[in-house]
Amino acid sequence: MSEQRALLLATVLAFLVAPAWGQWQQTRGPYGGYVTCFAVSDTNLFAGAWGGGVFHSTDNGSHWTASNNGLTNVRVMALAIYPDGSGGKSLFAGTSGGVYRSTNYGTSWTAASTALVDTFVQALAGIPDGSGGTILFAGTFGGGVYLSINNGASWTPARAGLPYIVITLTVSGTNLFAGTNIGVFLSTNNGVSWTWANTGITGPAVQSIAVSGTNLYAGTYDGVFLSTNNGTSWTAASTGLTNRYVKAICASGTNLFAGTLTGGIFLSTDSGANWNAASAGLTDTAVVALAVSGSVIFAGTSPSGTFRSTDSGANWTECDFGLTGTIIDALTLSGSTLLAGSYGRGVFVANSDGTDWMDSSAGLTYRSVWAMASGSDGGGGTRLYAGTDRGVFTSPGTGMSWTRSPVTSGGVQSLVAGGMNVIAGTWGSGVFRSTDAGVQWIGSNAGLASPYLYSLAVNATNFFAGTASGCFLSNDSGSTWTPASSGLTQPHVRSFAFNSTNMFAGTDGGVFLSTDNGASWVTANGGLGALSVRALAASGTYLFAGTYGGGIFFSSDNGTSWTTASTGLANPFVLSLAVRGSYLFAGTEGGGVWRRPLSEMSTAVEAPSTNLPTQFTLSQNYPNPFNPATTIAFGLPSKSFVVIEVFDALGRRVASLISRELAAGNYTQEWNAEHFASGVYFCRMSARMIFGGHVDSFTETRKLVLLK
């Protein structure tokens, strides 16, 4: 481990906020994600992420907190916040599973989809109802628009003349505009009827509509169009717009911003007559959402999360701290080091307890990492491999710097290493193999019936390939392959695991078991059914299955029976699994990395403890004195916003350990002071609980003694 990496990892403070009951906990990272939408209300900023749910910021995006309690579908595509008619405001989230409502700024959610026939909600908009409330509209994928006049309690169709895919909804005065797959539609009677208002627009798919004074702007896949007459006619307004795939538009004063799918952000200061690139500092040019909060402009990207500009788009900075919305396609171990490969964000390395992550993608010029593996470098060390959308990259065992390997394939979906023998599986070009730790590669498809590879694994000297046509075996380091699919009735083999003499294959129809090195297979799906098993992991006698949409299951009897083990796992789309120490880690599609103690699942602890604290507590740290780490325990009688900080003897804050909302329960927090000087420190906990309109606050301080 390099000195720089050791310092970075040691100064990342462990965040063990694990309640006393058994459940999954989301690790803090990797940060980023597919941010699809924003909502702004006063100092509250909300971001919706596909697979990550809703995130809340009260400091202009500097810090984000997941706000998904009760949000059972975390594929969020639309957010909106409106007056509810009783003096408060309601926050609405449109998801792939309907509409959800929060009356407490995202602290908790309830489903609000009664009578909503099409539950794939892509757009939300509201019009004042004249009595302090809001007429709410939901745009759906194929079902047109639905209307609610009771704060989302129930919905009725409002799509006469609009039976199309609704991508966006915008209100201008009493006019409601819908951007669809065939252009713009207008309703002047709260959705009772719609008319086509697309004259002059040549781009068929209208992705966004913005209002600036009396002007309307439509962003399409053929640039921007302007209407000065409420949509009666439109004219092209794309001069200087070098990328015409416009996904998002927003207005900030006299400035107009356009976010494109592949070209970043453009700015117009003359009502769309001319555009100039405005992407300085924007490291992700796939911009899918824009929002204005005061003088700050926010951009939602895919997959790099959120960016903000405080100087009218002249410069952008990434602001995704706490936004755990990444797609984690691969998890692997290099010795005791846990690494994660993400979609579009590169490689990340976990800290000592797996709660925090740091970017380790130096040299990785292609950031979509679909597979990872660890093998020998031939000199007693370790070499890491990353399969990307543009081939294989290699790194010494630290994983802190990467070099592109000259494999001639395109996208590498799977990797496996046995010593210096490495095999890369592609989607459409079969397999490539290297016998010198990735220096040189050759195609090696002899006997392989399908060129479409999902997975690779090695057990002793046997290599296995999971393809779109079943399982194949090679006992000559990948030179030749033979079918190994007898009894394997599901052809799409997505994952492998080994447990003693047993071999398991995860398929699109559950798990299969082989006790003879793949010569024959039997189903091992008791209680699991036909779920698509994207990841498998084994620990001792326990087998874990990560499914696509069904969460995580475990079996202690070789798949004869399975038990669900998904309590607390907000994202059920599991793409990767890894066992490290006493924890199982899960990489999800849009929800980052989660972890759970193996002991909790082995005893099937799924029910919350009822032994909750009756008052706030901050216990004395233990041990005390300590060197270099100490544990701080605290208790919360109810859901509260908690801040725990460490100060030195002069009153200077030297560490911020926790700043987020936590559920009621007993917690522990570790502080690693390896790089701090001996002396007296003070740990201060502040908590705020709100219930029934009453605010209960708590502050306590404890003395910590670091003795080296």
Side-chain angles (χ1 to χ4, degrees), residues 278-284 307 314-318:
S279 297
L282 193 73
T283 57
D284 190 335
F307 292 77
N315 296 280
W316 297 85
T317 57
E318 192 169 356

Side-chain angles (χ1 to χ4, degrees), residues 1 16 63-64 121 237 291 316 319 343 351 418 425 444 453 497 513 522-523 538 554 557 603 605 633 646 692:
M1 181 184 297
L16 294 176
H63 301 83
W64 297 88
V121 178
W316 297 85
C319 56
Y343 171 74
N351 68 337
S444 189
L453 272 290
L513 163 66
V522 294
T523 57
F554 77 90
D557 54 12
T603 54
V605 179
V646 178

Side-chain angles (χ1 to χ4, degrees), residues 418-605:
M420 294 181 64
N421 295 311
V422 191
I423 299 176
T426 70
W427 189 248
S429 299
V431 300
F432 292 78
R433 69 185 182 95
S434 171
T435 59
D436 52 10
V439 176
Q440 310 223 3
W441 298 82
I442 59 171
S444 189
N445 294 319
L448 200 64
S450 173
Y452 300 98
L453 272 290
Y454 287 114
S455 56
L456 289 163
V458 61
N459 186 27
T461 59
N462 296 310
F463 286 82
F464 295 90
T467 76
S469 299
C471 177
F472 291 80
L473 164 68
S474 174
N475 51 25
D476 55 9
S477 301
S479 295
T480 59
W481 300 88
T482 57
S485 297
S486 178
L488 196 66
T489 57
Q490 293 292 331
H492 297 274
V493 179
R494 295 185 177 268
S495 53
F496 292 107
F498 301 92
N499 184 347
S500 184
T501 60
N502 298 316
M503 176 181 178
F504 300 90
T507 74
D508 281 345
V511 175
F512 288 77
L513 163 66
S514 175
T515 58
D516 52 13
N517 242 359
S520 61
W521 297 86
V522 294
T523 57
N525 282 336
L528 187 63
L531 288 169
S532 178
V533 178
R534 300 297 179 90
L536 288 169
S539 177
T541 59
Y542 287 91
L543 179 67
F544 301 94
T547 71
Y548 193 75
I552 293 174
F553 295 77
F554 77 90
S555 174
S556 59
D557 54 12
N558 294 325
T560 300
S561 61
W562 293 86
T563 302
T564 183
S566 296
T567 297
L569 187 69
N571 190 310
F573 297 91
V574 180
L575 303 179
S576 51
L577 292 173
V579 174
R580 179 199 184 196
S582 59
Y583 286 91
L584 176 66
F585 290 84
T588 65
E589 186 182 73
V593 178
W594 296 67
R595 74 168 196 171
R596 186 173 181 184
L598 292 165
S599 59
E600 291 180 354
M601 288 173 287
S602 65
T603 54
V605 179

Side-chain angles (χ1 to χ4, degrees), residues 309-391:
S309 174
T310 58
D311 54 9
S312 299
N315 296 280
W316 297 85
T317 57
E318 192 169 356
C319 56
D320 59 5
F321 186 85
L323 202 153
T324 49
T326 44
I327 298 173
I328 306 299
D329 285 305
L331 289 169
T332 194
L333 290 173
S334 176
S336 61
T337 301
L338 178 65
L339 300 100
S342 68
Y343 171 74
R345 297 283 282 166
V347 175
F348 292 81
V349 176
N351 68 337
S352 58
D353 59 12
T355 55
D356 287 281
W357 299 81
M358 62 175 292
D359 192 307
S360 61
S361 301
L364 199 68
T365 53
Y366 297 96
R367 294 297 185 96
S368 288
V369 179
W370 294 333
M372 297 192 73
S374 174
S376 170
D377 65 1
T382 301
R383 183 161 295 277
L384 288 169
Y385 305 89
T388 75
D389 50 346
R390 293 294 186 276

